[in-house]
């Protein structure tokens, strides 16, 4: 089995991405990140997903983007939007997050002699993040092949983004067909310590709409509205 590094947040999309990589015959090395996110219940979700789906190894890397702030996901002084998905780049965008994560995945891939990195970014049902676009993934892949020993020596590195042009409903249906237990995942931007979702942030809304459109029961556990 060919080794692949899979970025795993613990959310719906990354769990589906891991299932896709496994179904394609890759030996998966999962990489999660504690970057100072306020919704770090997703890291416990990532552990549950790995136990359920299987992986050769799972590592959690710590890097402190919270020390810079600038995002509602890393700075508690910035409120997480709860009034519905709006056009434009929202305050939940974390500056340079995907670039840092993919760079660390690239480093591990080189050590593993892996030519494949999987990331669950999505450019359809997303919140306007510039580092979730196809152009970004293509540019990073080009950079990876210019900046690494493996790339220069002709091994070739590929960044796989199998969800990038799927709707949330399509992602959920695909994951359901591959046996993903979405009850294990956490998508909420402000989940509590038990992993219960708020139900009103952008991520919660997109998730709920996705399950409804897919015609499947939403297993998300929501906290009481007054909690």
């Amino acid at each position: 089995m060919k080794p692949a590094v899979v970025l795993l947040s613990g959310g719906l999309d990354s769990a589906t991405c891991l299932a896709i990589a496994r179904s394609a015959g890759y030996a998966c090395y999962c990489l999660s990140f504690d970057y100072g996110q306020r919704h770090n219940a997703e890291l416990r979700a990532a552990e549950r997903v790995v136990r359920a789906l299987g992986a050769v190894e799972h590592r959690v890397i710590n890097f402190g983007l919270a020390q810079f702030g600038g995002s509602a996901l890393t700075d508690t002084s910035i409120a997480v939007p709860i009034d519905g998905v709006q056009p434009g780049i929202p305050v939940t965008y974390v500056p340079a997050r995907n670039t840092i994560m993919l760079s660390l995945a690239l480093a591990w891939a080189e050590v593993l002699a892996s030519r494949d990195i999987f990331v669950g970014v999505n450019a359809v049902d997303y919140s306007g993040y510039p580092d979730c676009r196809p152009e970004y993934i293509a540019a990073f892949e080009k950079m990876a092949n210019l900046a690494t020993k493996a790339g220069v020596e002709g091994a070739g590195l590929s960044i796989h983004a199998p969800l990038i042009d799927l709707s949330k409903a399509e992602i959920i249906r695909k994951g359901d067909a591959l046996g993903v237990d979405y009850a294990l995942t956490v998508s909420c931007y402000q989940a509590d310590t038990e992993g219960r979702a708020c139900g009103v942030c952008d991520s919660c809304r997109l998730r709920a709409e996705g399950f409804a459109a897919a015609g499947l029961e939403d297993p998300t556990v929501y906290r009481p509205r007054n909690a």
Side-chain angles (χ1 to χ4, degrees):
M1 297 174 69
K2 295 186 297 182
V5 177
V6 181
L7 297 186
L8 184 69
S9 70
L12 181 156
D13 292 343
S14 69
T16 306
C17 191
L18 171 58
I20 290 171
R22 290 187 72 250
S23 71
Y26 287 93
C28 297
Y29 292 77
C30 293
L31 194 57
S32 302
F33 300 93
D34 183 349
Y35 58 89
Q37 64 269 49
R38 63 200 298 171
H39 56 307
N40 62 8
E42 68 176 8
L43 293 174
R44 293 187 292 278
E47 294 172 359
R48 295 193 296 268
V49 169
V50 166
R51 287 197 297 270
L53 292 179
V56 178
E57 189 174 347
H58 178 214
R59 296 191 183 190
V60 179
I61 304 297
N62 185 297
F63 62 92
L65 286 181
Q67 64 187 307
F68 299 133
S71 168
L73 300 192
T74 57
D75 187 340
T76 55
S77 70
I78 303 174
V80 172
I82 59 172
D83 297 324
V85 180
Q86 304 295 322
I89 301 174
V91 294
T92 51
Y93 162 68
V94 182
R97 179 183 61 179
N98 282 357
T99 300
I100 296 170
M101 291 179 176
L102 281 170
S103 295
L104 291 169
L106 178 60
W108 198 17
E110 274 214 281
V111 172
L112 294 170
S114 168
R115 299 182 181 184
D116 301 278
I117 296 171
F118 282 78
V119 59
V121 295
N122 175 251
V124 179
D125 285 346
Y126 82 134
S127 297
Y129 299 153
D131 52 3
C132 288
R133 296 175 297 161
E135 306 95 299
Y136 168 76
I137 296 299
F140 191 95
E141 181 178 278
K142 182 177 180 180
M143 181 279 296
N145 281 289
L146 288 171
T148 58
K149 180 176 183 288
V152 169
E153 292 182 347
L157 291 152
S158 297
I159 310 297
H160 303 270
L163 314 181
I164 201 157
D165 60 354
L166 301 182
S167 69
K168 191 66 72 177
E170 289 170 328
I171 292 168
I172 291 168
R173 290 194 196 102
K174 183 176 286 290
D176 183 66
L178 292 171
V180 177
D181 181 359
Y182 288 119
L184 303 177
T185 64
V186 171
S187 299
C188 179
Y189 287 152
Q190 47 187 359
D192 65 14
T193 56
E194 298 176 40
R196 298 180 299 178
C198 71
V200 291
C201 70
D202 289 359
S203 189
C204 278
R205 292 175 188 272
L206 291 170
R207 179 175 171 126
E209 290 167 5
F211 275 103
L216 295 171
E217 182 179 354
D218 182 359
T220 304
V221 177
Y222 295 98
R223 64 177 180 265
R225 288 297 173 88
N226 61 350

